[in-house]
Amino acid sequence: MDGQTETEVADSKTLERRLRYERLSRYWLLGAGLFAVALFALIVLTLAHRSIPIVAEHSLIELLTSANWDPAQNEFGFLPAIVGTIYVTILSMAIGTPIAILAAIYIAEYAQGRTKVLVASFIDVLAAIPGVIFGLVGLIVVVPFVGDYLAPAFGSHSIGLGIVTVSLVMAIVVTPFIISLSVESLEALPDELRESSLGVGATKWETIRTVLLRAAGPGIFSAILLGFGRVFGATIVPAMLIGGQTAIPDSPFDAGETLPSLIVNDFGELMSIPLTQSALIFAGLMLLVIVWLFNFGAMFIRRRLQRRWQY
Amino acid sequence: MDRYTEQRLFGLLARASAALVVGVLAMVISVTLYRGGRVFLTDPAVMITPPGSRYMLDGGGGFLHAVLGSIFIVVPATAIAILLSLSTAVFLQSDYSSERTSEIINMFLNVLWGTPPIVYGVFVLTVIIAVGAQTSLFFGIIAIAIFQYPIMTRYTDEALRSVPGAVKEASYGLGSTRFETARITIRSALPGIVAGVIIGFARGIGDAATVLFTAGRSTQMPGGLFEPATTLPILIFEQAASFNAEVRAHAYAASFVLIIAVLTLIIASKLLAGKYARFAPGGRHS
């Protein structure tokens, strides 16, 4: 009798302890889940709050359309940096996207066995190489290439640093990223698609072009959008290779400035002027909002794809 | 052009593109290894020599300060990020949250995942200005932890998702609480989680934009938690275009150290994930 009550007491104690952990874990995990939302809100609100002084002083229109950037003279025109960012984004995506998609097609549809595993994992590993390494190799290899060969070939003059240089390097940075995501959406397609297309007499390339690319289209498109977001927010490579010149570039071989590189190049020395601080935080906010739009678009498209193919 | 020529042409183009991408990436690695290795291997001691007093001018001494700074920032940051991301991922995958809540939180995580690192850097800097502090090891840790959080959550979430429902059901069937079930789920997803943590660590150690304004560009040995520090990527960024050949050489040597560290980590993580995928219940069969 006695022994039984003792176990009963011990049992109820254990149960109590287990339930206490259960309750505690509930609050902790709920907190962790909400942390993602809170972090995002905190970042947006902090940046927005700190941007108020500059937007109050100079109107939003002026900030976005003035080409004059000279914080010491109280001139804050973001247009040169915006134009530079758009230049770099469009150029590097124009170079990188076709190559990335073709390479993804090779990996998903042509490569087989060992080669496939090797090529795919090599590109996967490479997606994790730090940006500074690409910047450094850009300085060693791409800068002289652009300055000595590419610019003269186009009848232009360049010191090597500039928008084309950044675009070439960013194209290299962004391809592994687009390739991985595109391969993923191509391989997720059901094999029946390939079989029935080949079965009605299409060649392999016709199958890829008319069936697979169309079916995986939303997935690939969302990969491209995410790639846009990547290039848009890239910081270290532009800061190392763009030459740091806040004027609207006349030619793609000119030095320029992108929004992130503007933040990096101007923060150090100008932190003492409060309005400059605010202006650069405003640049960060712009980046966040635009990248957010890209990502949101990508998410929306991918969700449509999933609904269509149900995988 | 008839359809068979077209087929051959595009098959060739696809192969050529893949070869180009692989070739260019191989070039990036080999240039780094060659240029960095030439400096580093002739004098490996630069890695463990503290910098001289006029380091940025004459490159006297070595870059131990950056090596230590990287370790002191990324190790604690990874620990913080593991705690946060594991909790978030468990919350998303377990019965603590409804499907709708998980979906909304996932949306925010995706947005955070795509946020440029520079934004995190600016955010933490804003906090530093607001509290009137200076750039320091501490804020570098915070910035890197924030940067790693969405990356590691994504991998952890994926690993937990691959645990078959049977594990969870069996655990509940034996009368476990949700907390105990979560622990069992974590255990069966462990290889995937560890692989994700390693990738997060590698990304953290390679990122410069987040720590540039938060840890600082110190050229001295890290002095304490609230003293300025620097990391290897910052050192490379600052010194890669220096006019002094000696200072520049240190950037090359540092990039050699960095690329070896990152490649080792990533390859280890891939091998780990591949090796244990067979043993994990419901792991990838490919």
Side-chain angles (χ1 to χ4, degrees), chain A residues 18-19 21-22 25-26 28-30 32-37 39-40 42-43 46-47 50 98-100 102-103 105-107 110 119 121-134 136-137 139-141 172 175-177 179 181 201-206 209 226 229-230 233-236 239-240 260 263-265 267-268 271 277 280-281 284 287-288 291-292 295-296 299 302-303, chain B residues 3-4 6-7 10-11 13-15 17-18 20-22 24-29 31-32 35 83-84 86-88 90-91 94 96 103-120 122-123 125-127 129-130 146 149 154 175-180 182 202-203 206-209 212-213 217 233-234 236-237 240-241 251-252 255-256 258-259 262-263 266-267 270:
Chain A
R18 288 174 58 198
L19 288 177
Y21 278 138
E22 165 77 11
S25 71
R26 183 162 161 237
W28 166 253
L29 289 176
L30 184 64
L34 293 180
F35 179 73
V37 184
L39 183 63
F40 180 78
L42 195 64
I43 291 174
T46 315
L47 296 188
R50 287 279 159 169
I99 294 175
L102 280 168
I105 290 174
Y106 170 76
I107 293 172
Y110 284 92
V119 173
S121 38
F122 183 71
I123 288 175
D124 244 18
V125 167
L126 266 286
I129 295 261
V132 269
I133 302 271
F134 285 104
L136 187 75
V137 173
L139 278 174
I140 297 173
V141 179
I172 302 173
T175 33
F177 182 72
I179 292 175
L181 290 174
T203 62
K204 180 158 186 156
W205 174 251
E206 282 165 346
R209 198 192 61 203
L226 286 175
R230 270 287 154 104
T235 307
I236 294 299
M240 286 173 95
I263 299 177
V264 170
N265 288 339
F267 234 132
M271 243 173 80
Q277 249 178 44
L280 293 174
I281 290 169
L287 269 182
L288 186 65
V291 171
W292 198 74
N295 283 11
F296 201 77
M299 235 182 309
R302 206 167 17 191
R303 196 164 297 172
Chain B
R3 46 205 291 254
Y4 297 104
E6 189 187 323
Q7 138 125 327
F10 278 98
L13 268 180
R15 280 187 182 84
S17 300
L20 181 69
V21 171
V22 169
V24 168
L25 291 176
M27 181 209 72
V28 169
I29 294 188
V31 166
T32 314
R35 295 297 287 264
L83 185 68
L84 285 174
L86 190 59
S87 308
T88 306
V90 167
F91 179 74
S94 66
Y96 286 97
E103 201 174 301
I104 292 172
I105 292 176
N106 252 324
M107 198 181 84
F108 279 98
L109 276 171
N110 273 331
V111 174
L112 284 176
W113 182 75
T115 303
I118 182 90
V119 171
Y120 296 133
V122 171
F123 166 66
L125 182 79
T126 325
V127 174
I129 296 171
I146 294 177
Y149 168 68
R154 168 169 289 210
S176 306
T177 62
R178 288 182 297 186
F179 179 61
E180 287 153 357
R203 292 287 300 273
D207 196 74
L212 204 50
F213 312 134
R217 310 171 183 195
I234 298 180
I236 299 168
F237 174 71
Y252 294 165
S255 71
F256 181 81
L258 185 64
I259 204 169
V262 169
L263 286 181
I266 299 289
I267 291 171
K270 297 272 169 206

Side-chain angles (χ1 to χ4, degrees), chain A residues 13 31 57 82 133 179 230 241 249 276:
Chain A
K13 274 216 170 117
E57 185 95 354
I82 294 174
I133 302 271
I179 292 175
R230 270 287 154 104
L241 300 175
T276 313

Side-chain angles (χ1 to χ4, degrees), chain B residues 171-246:
Chain B
S171 166
Y172 281 135
L174 291 170
S176 306
T177 62
R178 288 182 297 186
F179 179 61
E180 287 153 357
T181 309
R183 277 174 46 188
I184 289 164
T185 323
I186 290 174
R187 193 171 305 170
S188 30
L190 208 53
I193 295 175
V194 173
V197 167
I198 297 177
I199 289 183
F201 189 86
R203 292 287 300 273
I205 215 165
D207 196 74
T210 41
V211 277
L212 204 50
F213 312 134
T214 54
R217 310 171 183 195
S218 157
T219 51
Q220 280 154 20
M221 298 291 285
L225 192 56
F226 292 99
E227 299 293 319
T230 200
T231 66
L232 282 172
I234 298 180
L235 180 125
I236 299 168
F237 174 71
E238 292 282 308
Q239 297 176 198
S242 169
F243 292 108
N244 184 318
E246 187 71 17

Side-chain angles (χ1 to χ4, degrees), chain A residues 232-309:
Chain A
F232 208 88
T235 307
I236 294 299
V237 170
M240 286 173 95
L241 300 175
I242 204 157
Q245 192 155 13
T246 33
I248 292 185
D250 296 323
S251 95
F253 289 102
D254 277 358
E257 196 81 276
T258 68
L259 282 172
S261 75
L262 183 74
I263 299 177
V264 170
N265 288 339
D266 274 16
F267 234 132
E269 55 257 51
L270 297 166
M271 243 173 80
S272 45
I273 312 171
L275 213 51
T276 313
Q277 249 178 44
S278 177
L280 293 174
I281 290 169
F282 177 68
L285 185 67
M286 275 197 277
L287 269 182
L288 186 65
V289 169
I290 293 169
V291 171
W292 198 74
L293 287 179
F294 278 127
N295 283 11
F296 201 77
M299 235 182 309
F300 179 72
I301 289 166
R302 206 167 17 191
R303 196 164 297 172
R304 273 193 51 191
L305 174 80
Q306 273 165 359
R307 206 171 306 148
R308 198 194 297 177
W309 291 110

Side-chain angles (χ1 to χ4, degrees), chain A residues 91-158:
Chain A
L91 259 180
S92 43
M93 290 306 282
I95 301 168
T97 311
I99 294 175
I101 292 177
L102 280 168
I105 290 174
Y106 170 76
I107 293 172
E109 304 298 327
Y110 284 92
Q112 263 157 18
R114 239 185 141 68
T115 328
K116 177 173 175 152
V117 175
L118 268 179
V119 173
S121 38
F122 183 71
I123 288 175
D124 244 18
V125 167
L126 266 286
I129 295 261
V132 269
I133 302 271
F134 285 104
L136 187 75
V137 173
L139 278 174
I140 297 173
V141 179
V142 186
V143 167
F145 169 71
V146 171
D148 298 344
Y149 301 102
L150 200 62
F154 280 90
S156 184
H157 175 75
S158 167

Side-chain angles (χ1 to χ4, degrees), chain A residues 63-65 78-87 232 257-259 286:
Chain A
L63 289 175
L64 296 181
T65 55
F78 279 107
L79 194 61
I82 294 174
V83 171
T85 315
I86 293 174
Y87 245 130
F232 208 88
E257 196 81 276
T258 68
L259 282 172
M286 275 197 277

